Amino acid sequence: MQMNRGYHTVKKVIACVLSYIFIIMAIAVPAHAEEEQAEATPSRIPLSKLEETIDAYVASYEKYTAAVSVVAIKDGKTIVNKAYGYADMENQRKADTSTVFEWASISKLLVYTSVMQLVEQGKLDLEADIQEYLPEGFFKKLKYDEPITLMNLMHHNAGWEDQTASEVYYYEENENYDLGETLRENEPKQIYKPNSVVGYSNYSVGLAGYIVELVSGQSYYEYVNQHIFEPLHMNDTTVHPTGQDRPDLVQRRNEIEGYTKDLKRIPENRVFVTFYPTGAAIGTAEDLGKFLAALMPVDDSHVLFAKRETLDEMLSTSLYYDETSIPRFAHGFAEMEYWVPTLLHEGNLKGFSSKVVFDPESKFGMVVMTNIAFEDIYYYGLIKEIFGDNVNSNRVTSEGYFQSARRAAARFTNLFTFLDITKFTKADLAKSYNVVEHNGVVEKISVTPYIDYLPVSNLKVKLIYISYIPVALAIIFSLCALIGYLIRMLINKLHKRGNPRTNFDKYHLAIIFAGVVLLINLFIILSRLPSYPAYSSLRINLMFNLIYVVLAVAYLGLLIYRLRKNSYSKKQKMMYILSGISAFILAAFVLGWHLYV
């Protein structure tokens, strides 16, 4: 009995000790996990090793690097602010934390913030038709009656066609810049119903910036200076269309060059943005870090807004991927799932790439700015290193051809976007951000948060390619006919004999020569597009294409008239008719693909 009582006592003591240990562990593990989460990046890199990790990453890609500036923010404080590489490789000018980069499309975040400030003041309504804020008769090319709202502008789903790089950029400073007039003159066609398709639109965000001007009574850049830059002490940034309000920053910007991925200097890499609120900001990564910190306040402070609720609303999901509960946009901020949900925006301009990513929950974010066009080692690679990978997975049962919804529909670049029709396999579709599929038919895919892709039928793809056959034959005929004429002329000259000609030969030769020049002209246009030429510099090329159409019509009319009035040999008639058919095909090609505008 005594032994049993002692045995039970020991069991009680052991049970108490184990219970105590379990309680301590239960309390300690979450505390430790919370501490670990608070002191690490989303990819579990300790914050104490973050700078060392970035240093090692940059060192491993040094031979692919021009300049890169990195800022990391945690709990409102800057924990990393470093620059690497060369702002000017030719002159060995090193980048530092005062180096001024192009913000490019990250400038759009200033527009979204300005809009939300005015919404907070009751001066703007996100769901109202924007025509309530614009001058009467502002739009001339709207196709649909559905209203366009500020939310549509933020979500890039107002339905406008994309505009060419030549229309988005210009090179000469314009002292008499007027945002409203520029938007009116460059209005794109509306090709989709509002809310139906996401197609990244610089025009949309420029328009939102103009509405900020109209409602606030200030020019857009003055509004941003007063309501964003000054409160955040962003003293090294300007969003003026040409930077004229801060000549010191322009001088610093001119000390940095832009490069291609293989580190070749891009000539004329200082461009101006036509709809300037959409991408004109220049400044340091450190200043962009201040803006980022303001988006993740550590307490109830809210410098950008009068109420904290407005900031929370701006950073809350406002658009989901079709038929899902997956977040896509938070009032213009793209939403992306790395190892944690993040908000971000990217920017690309001629010779510059930039990205800002942050997790409002843990109050950790990063800024990456480079002077390399469409760069991906830091823009994507370093971000994944710090935030973890983002893996998408969709279940699909079909595949097919798709075309970007971000395309020109009534401009000369429409041809080149159709040449970019892509075939997506099931594996490709499975990795897309979202796929809308009904009854085994994919109706829309989202390759990025900013752009939807729409299906193109196999028949249409075949017809497009088949349509190139007569064009190719017309080009071959023009080249062969011109070469044949030159060879005959040379042979006749060598044998010192006359060149038998009819009175129609000069017209025949002229249209053949014009066809060859048209081919050369189209090649010049295509080769210049990657360098973002000013639209004004392409006008002469596009004008020639239109002149060719006029010449082709004149030649066909003259040919019909002459064949009825004159007698030519069968061989001559055949050559003249083939020239007419070739001219007709090339003229139809120019008109059909809008290669004149």
Side-chain angles (χ1 to χ4, degrees):
M1 196 74 176
Q2 182 97 12
M3 191 171 73
N4 285 341
R5 191 177 296 126
Y7 175 73
H8 286 301
T9 301
V10 170
K11 283 180 66 177
K12 288 180 180 179
V13 170
I14 292 173
C16 288
V17 171
L18 290 175
S19 298
Y20 178 75
I21 292 173
F22 178 78
I23 292 170
I24 294 298
M25 289 179 64
I27 295 172
V29 169
H32 176 69
E34 186 177 340
E35 180 183 358
E36 184 181 23
Q37 182 178 2
E39 297 301 321
T41 71
S43 64
R44 310 297 184 263
I45 298 170
L47 293 184
S48 59
K49 295 183 178 295
L50 179 57
E51 184 173 340
E52 177 185 332
T53 300
I54 296 172
D55 289 345
Y57 186 91
V58 175
S60 65
Y61 290 102
E62 186 176 5
K63 64 180 180 180
Y64 305 107
T65 304
V68 57
S69 191
V70 181
V71 172
I73 304 293
K74 173 64 178 174
D75 293 331
K77 297 180 181 178
T78 301
I79 58 174
V80 175
N81 180 19
K82 295 191 73 172
Y84 307 83
Y86 291 91
D88 184 342
M89 299 182 71
E90 288 73 23
N91 293 307
Q92 292 292 287
R93 183 183 294 117
K94 287 191 174 184
D96 56 36
T97 56
S98 67
T99 298
V100 170
F101 290 83
E102 302 273 3
W103 280 35
S105 285
I106 290 179
S107 307
K108 293 177 172 65
L109 299 183
L110 301 173
V111 177
Y112 306 143
T113 303
S114 301
V115 167
M116 293 304 295
Q117 287 177 338
L118 294 171
V119 167
E120 181 181 63
Q121 298 169 29
K123 296 179 180 179
L124 288 176
D125 181 347
L126 293 177
E127 300 296 343
D129 189 331
I130 59 173
Q131 295 198 65
E132 294 181 15
Y133 305 113
L134 296 169
E136 187 175 352
F138 188 84
F139 295 122
K140 304 296 183 185
K141 300 179 182 180
L142 292 184
K143 181 179 179 181
Y144 299 99
D145 295 329
E146 285 83 349
I148 296 172
T149 67
L150 282 164
M151 293 298 281
N152 292 137
L153 303 186
M154 290 175 162
H155 296 156
H156 302 278
N157 61 1
W160 281 302
E161 67 172 330
D162 192 31
Q163 288 161 304
T164 68
S166 302
E167 293 169 295
V168 174
Y169 308 121
Y170 63 98
Y171 291 85
E172 298 296 329
E173 291 190 28
N174 184 354
E175 296 182 3
N176 299 315
Y177 184 91
D178 184 289
L179 180 56
E181 190 61 29
T182 301
L183 288 161
R184 194 192 296 268
E185 290 177 356
N186 292 277
E187 179 189 355
K189 284 190 175 181
Q190 190 183 37
I191 59 176
Y192 306 110
K193 281 187 177 181
N195 297 305
S196 64
V197 174
V198 172
Y200 193 76
S201 172
N202 286 297
Y203 183 83
S204 288
V205 184
L207 193 59
Y210 178 50
I211 291 172
V212 169
E213 276 196 353
L214 294 173
V215 172
S216 69
Q218 296 177 277
S219 65
Y220 173 75
Y221 76 89
E222 289 175 332
Y223 178 90
V224 172
N225 283 343
Q226 181 178 343
H227 298 280
I228 298 179
F229 293 163
E230 289 179 11
L232 298 181
H233 306 291
M234 295 172 64
N235 302 319
D236 291 316
T237 306
T238 176
V239 74
H240 186 282
T242 58
Q244 291 175 3
D245 65 332
R246 291 295 304 276
D248 56 320
L249 289 180
V250 172
Q251 182 177 347
R252 285 160 60 186
R253 159 58 186 90
N254 292 337
E255 292 173 354
I256 184 171
E257 297 290 350
Y259 297 90
T260 62
K261 286 185 179 181
D262 54 359
L263 301 186
K264 293 182 179 177
R265 180 183 170 277
I266 298 174
E268 290 188 289
N269 56 68
R270 177 65 168 124
V271 296
F272 305 107
V273 181
T274 307
F275 318 121
Y276 83 90
T278 201
I282 60 173
T284 63
E286 182 177 5
D287 256 18
L288 183 51
K290 294 177 182 177
F291 177 71
L292 175 57
L295 299 175
M296 305 182 294
V298 294
D299 48 34
D300 289 334
S301 62
H302 34 79
V303 178
L304 292 172
F305 301 100
K307 301 176 183 177
R308 175 62 183 267
E309 290 79 7
T310 309
L311 174 62
D312 293 339
E313 180 186 357
M314 182 173 74
L315 302 184
S316 65
T317 301
S318 54
L319 183 70
Y320 295 87
Y321 286 100
D322 291 358
E323 302 180 8
T324 74
S325 58
I326 302 173
R328 183 167 191 167
F329 280 116
H331 300 83
F333 292 73
E335 300 199 52
M336 188 174 293
E337 186 84 19
Y338 287 96
W339 284 11
V340 295
T342 66
L343 299 176
L344 60 84
H345 210 289
E346 304 167 345
N348 283 287
L349 204 56
K350 188 176 182 180
F352 292 85
S353 301
S354 55
K355 194 166 189 171
V356 57
V357 187
F358 63 105
D359 169 24
E361 184 69 25
S362 67
K363 296 179 174 52
F364 175 80
M366 282 190 64
V367 171
V368 175
M369 307 185 87
T370 76
N371 59 340
I372 300 177
F374 296 98
E375 189 277 334
D376 50 21
I377 290 173
Y378 300 103
Y379 190 89
Y380 292 112
L382 180 59
I383 293 299
K384 286 184 178 182
E385 185 84 5
I386 306 303
F387 283 86
D389 208 345
N390 56 319
V391 179
N392 304 300
S393 179
N394 298 284
R395 298 183 66 181
V396 293
T397 60
S398 62
E399 56 187 30
Y401 291 94
F402 293 84
Q403 182 185 29
S404 171
R406 184 187 182 185
R407 66 181 184 88
R411 290 174 169 80
F412 69 93
T413 52
N414 193 26
L415 168 65
F416 307 116
T417 55
F418 264 95
L419 291 174
D420 198 33
I421 289 175
T422 305
K423 184 173 184 178
F424 284 79
T425 65
K426 291 180 183 179
D428 295 327
L429 294 174
K431 292 184 290 186
S432 298
Y433 283 84
N434 187 56
V435 177
V436 178
E437 184 179 29
H438 293 134
N439 300 320
V441 178
V442 177
E443 298 178 359
K444 184 195 300 183
I445 63 175
S446 303
V447 177
T448 75
Y450 307 105
I451 303 173
D452 288 333
Y453 274 63
L454 303 177
V456 181
S457 69
N458 291 343
L459 176 61
K460 186 172 183 179
V461 172
K462 289 177 182 177
L463 289 175
I464 290 172
Y465 287 129
I466 289 173
S467 71
Y468 296 147
I469 294 176
V471 174
L473 292 175
I475 290 171
I476 292 171
F477 172 81
S478 298
L479 288 171
C480 291
L482 183 60
I483 293 171
Y485 177 83
L486 294 175
I487 290 174
R488 287 196 306 272
M489 187 175 68
L490 181 61
I491 291 174
N492 290 332
K493 188 173 182 179
L494 289 174
H495 290 82
K496 297 182 179 179
R497 62 190 183 199
N499 187 17
R501 299 171 61 181
T502 70
N503 57 1
F504 195 73
D505 273 358
K506 57 185 177 182
Y507 305 113
H508 167 65
L509 179 61
I511 199 65
I512 288 174
F513 181 75
V516 173
V517 175
L518 174 69
L519 174 62
I520 295 171
N521 189 52
L522 292 176
F523 178 77
I524 291 172
I525 292 173
L526 177 60
S527 63
R528 291 190 62 196
L529 287 181
S531 63
Y532 306 127
Y535 185 70
S536 58
S537 70
L538 288 174
R539 282 190 184 134
I540 188 170
N541 301 84
L542 300 175
M543 182 66 71
F544 175 80
N545 293 345
L546 190 58
I547 291 173
Y548 178 83
V549 173
V550 175
L551 291 175
V553 171
Y555 177 81
L556 286 169
L558 186 61
L559 175 62
I560 294 170
Y561 175 78
R562 287 298 182 92
L563 287 180
R564 292 177 60 187
K565 295 290 184 179
N566 297 280
S567 59
Y568 299 108
S569 68
K570 289 184 178 180
K571 183 179 179 181
Q572 287 171 333
K573 284 183 178 180
M574 181 62 68
M575 289 298 294
Y576 297 156
I577 291 172
L578 286 175
S579 296
I581 293 173
S582 295
F584 174 80
I585 291 171
L586 293 177
F589 181 71
V590 169
L591 293 176
W593 290 107
H594 305 97
L595 295 172
Y596 57 92
V597 63

